[in-house]
Amino acid sequence: MATEHDIDKQVRTYILVFVSLMVLTVITVGISYLDLPTGPAIALALVVALTKGSLVACFFMHLISERKLIYAVMALTVLFFIFVLIVPYFTDMDRITL
């Protein structure tokens, strides 16, 4: 049975994660105002989005208590992130050869 102290600790964690998500959203908007080339701006925004997604998956979806599953999700996320970065690179290569 959860004690009042445990519930207060969980509420504090959720509030901290929520504030972190809001800060990361502001950072994402700030990245759009930076005068960065397209590639680094997209990579930076994807890193922030990956961080936000990981926070949501870990705390709001309670995946942080699932040790084996969290490693599988993180590995899949990293593979997808690499795939998302590679696809635009090959798309640009097609334009260069034409």
Side-chain angles (χ1 to χ4, degrees):
M1 184 170 177
T3 63
E4 186 175 326
H5 177 70
D6 293 338
I7 294 172
D8 287 343
K9 185 177 176 183
Q10 288 180 350
V11 169
R12 248 183 269 128
T13 301
Y14 288 138
I15 290 172
L16 184 63
V17 170
F18 177 74
V19 169
S20 299
L21 290 172
M22 292 298 108
V23 169
L24 288 170
T25 300
V26 169
I27 290 172
T28 302
V29 172
I31 289 171
S32 69
Y33 287 106
L34 293 177
D35 192 24
L36 292 174
T38 305
I42 290 173
L44 199 56
L46 285 175
V47 167
V48 173
L50 179 66
T51 305
K52 288 170 62 178
S54 297
L55 283 173
V56 169
C58 287
F59 293 102
F60 292 129
M61 297 174 70
H62 305 283
L63 293 180
I64 199 162
S65 60
E66 304 286 338
R67 287 191 170 248
K68 291 180 182 178
L69 183 60
I70 191 68
Y71 290 127
V73 168
M74 293 303 286
L76 186 64
T77 303
V78 169
L79 289 176
F80 183 72
F81 179 72
I82 292 170
F83 175 75
V84 167
L85 287 180
I86 289 174
V87 167
Y89 175 74
F90 287 116
T91 303
D92 283 342
M93 286 185 67
D94 286 342
R95 288 186 199 157
I96 292 171
T97 57
L98 292 176

